[in-house]
């Protein structure tokens, strides 16, 4: 079958489109559930995971690898869900994690900034939700939630610029790619002359094409991604500089700045994981900038 990932600019109708695509195709529709699953499995507050895939990287992140660790947890949870096929995922980072998977239809939804600003102005609660998240609490966690503030057009445009800029910096920092690059996607839909219903129709048509159906090779590639992600999530807290790949049960581990004792510890940790049949560990000197 097929996987659909829907990436979007801030404040578009992607949620509505994703839900209707899933309904039309008979697929599961997932988004925030991935953060909840990762939060529960890896015992990390959901707000920290949200910030990891939403906020631009800070100088501190670059030294502590905090963002990379949380993204590794989200990646493991998301790929585990996508491995089951027949899933529509709308949310941050999905298209990053399934690059190279031929049965993943990667969609990007964009819109005119003026139209997106109108959506923010019509739904002022999004401002309160964003502000609450930035303070590290849910709306329910506010003892005296304020009334939804009025948002001017200028303020709405600033919110969009900040949100879009943070997403772009996130992508560039972690993956060295620009999330706005159309080459990352199989289908880019612009909400200018097209409606949400048009978008649903186009995505469903594409998802039914033979080129987006799983093959034995593409499913193996997905299985390899899942195994590598699970191993990475297991090691990343202790070894933030570790890089993992997998090939039909053979796990290849590259560790920057490790030692022979680290090799043994990794062997002991990873050796008993489900799906791991062989482990290849290479240790490299720690590379520091000039």
């Amino acid at each position: 079958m097929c996987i659909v990932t829907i990436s979007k600019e801030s404040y578009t109708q992607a949620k509505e489109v994703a839900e209707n695509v899933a309904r039309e195709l008979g697929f599961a529709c997932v988004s925030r559930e991935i953060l909840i699953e990762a939060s529960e499995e890896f015992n990390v507050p959901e707000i920290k995971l949200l910030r990891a895939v939403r906020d631009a990287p800070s100088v501190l992140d670059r030294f502590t690898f905090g963002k990379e660790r949380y993204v590794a947890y989200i990646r493991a949870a998301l790929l585990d869900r996508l491995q089951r096929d027949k899933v529509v995922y709308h949310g941050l980072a999905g298209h990053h994690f399934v690059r190279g998977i031929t049965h993943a239809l990667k969609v990007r939804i964009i819109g005119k900034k003026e139209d997106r600003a109108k959506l923010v102005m019509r739904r002022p609660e999004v401002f309160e939700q964003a502000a609450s998240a930035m303070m590290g609490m849910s709306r329910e966690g506010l003892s005296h939630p304020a009334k939804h503030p009025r948002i001017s057009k200028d303020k709405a445009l600033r919110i969009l610029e900040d949100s879009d800029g943070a997403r772009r910096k996130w992508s560039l920092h972690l993956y060295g790619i620009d999330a706005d690059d159309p080459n990352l996607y199989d289908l880019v839909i612009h909400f200018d002359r097209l409606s949400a219903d048009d978008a649903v129709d186009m995505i469903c048509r594409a998802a039914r094409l033979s080129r987006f159906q799983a093959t034995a090779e593409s499913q193996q590639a997905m299985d390899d991604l899942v195994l590598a992600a699970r191993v990475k999530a297991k090691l990343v807290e202790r070894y933030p500089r570790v890089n993992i790949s997998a090939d039909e049960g053979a796990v290849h581990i590259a560790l920057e700045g490790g030692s022979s004792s680290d090799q043994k510890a990794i062997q002991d940790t990873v050796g008993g994981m489900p799906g791991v049949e062989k482990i290849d560990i290479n240790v490299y000197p720690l590379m520091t900038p000039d």
Side-chain angles (χ1 to χ4, degrees), residues 26-272:
F27 286 11
C29 185
V30 297
S31 182
R32 180 174 174 267
E33 298 91 333
I34 298 301
L35 294 182
I36 296 173
E37 291 173 10
S39 175
E40 293 175 349
E41 179 175 358
F42 298 105
N43 194 30
V44 176
E46 184 184 346
I47 186 61
K48 291 188 176 182
L49 297 175
L50 174 62
R51 285 175 168 173
V53 292
R54 184 202 62 195
D55 296 348
S58 67
V59 173
L60 182 60
D61 287 325
R62 296 166 191 169
F63 288 98
T64 64
F65 296 94
K67 187 176 290 288
E68 283 87 344
R69 178 161 66 94
Y70 297 142
V71 169
Y73 297 154
I74 295 168
R75 181 172 181 263
L78 176 58
L79 288 176
D80 184 65
R81 178 67 73 93
L82 296 183
Q83 187 182 30
R84 308 171 205 175
D85 269 350
K86 299 181 68 175
V87 175
V88 176
Y89 172 74
H90 65 99
L92 296 169
H95 59 288
H96 289 291
F97 301 150
V98 292
R99 284 185 292 170
I101 301 301
T102 58
H103 64 276
L105 171 62
K106 295 173 282 295
V107 179
R108 175 74 165 173
I109 293 178
I110 61 178
K112 293 173 64 176
K113 186 172 288 187
E114 292 77 10
D115 293 338
R116 294 190 290 135
K118 290 177 183 177
L119 180 62
V120 177
M121 294 167 68
R122 287 199 305 268
R123 297 178 54 200
E125 70 273 14
V126 299
F127 180 79
E128 179 184 311
Q129 291 169 346
S132 299
M134 289 298 290
M135 290 188 291
M137 61 187 75
S138 67
R139 291 178 63 199
E140 291 76 8
L142 294 172
S143 57
H144 300 288
K147 292 180 66 176
H148 300 319
R150 290 180 177 273
I151 297 179
S152 66
K153 182 178 179 180
D154 287 344
K155 192 165 193 175
L157 288 170
R158 287 198 301 272
I159 290 173
L160 290 177
E161 289 173 0
D162 290 344
S163 181
D164 290 343
R167 292 177 186 224
R168 186 170 183 271
K169 289 178 182 178
W170 182 93
S171 181
L172 287 169
H173 171 63
L174 286 180
Y175 294 97
I177 57 178
D178 187 343
D180 292 335
D181 183 354
N183 293 309
L184 298 175
Y185 310 99
D186 303 299
L187 183 61
V188 178
I189 300 174
H190 196 304
F191 274 14
D192 185 0
R193 298 178 62 188
L194 297 173
S195 67
D197 288 341
D198 293 329
V200 171
D201 182 64
M202 294 172 68
I203 294 170
C204 288
R205 286 174 181 268
R208 293 186 175 110
L209 294 174
S210 60
R211 69 191 63 188
F212 292 113
Q213 305 312 304
T215 64
E217 291 78 12
S218 69
Q219 189 59 54
Q220 182 61 59
M222 173 60 79
D223 295 343
D224 291 340
L225 276 183
V226 171
L227 181 57
R230 301 304 300 182
V231 173
K232 173 89 171 186
K234 189 77 171 178
L235 297 175
V236 69
E237 182 172 9
R238 184 172 179 183
Y239 303 106
R241 296 180 182 273
V242 71
N243 290 302
I244 315 289
S245 63
D247 182 12
E248 297 186 18
V251 177
H252 306 285
I253 301 174
L255 178 62
E256 184 181 353
S259 65
S260 58
S261 61
D262 291 319
Q263 287 182 296
K264 184 178 185 308
I266 291 173
Q267 183 78 39
D268 293 342
T269 300
V270 176

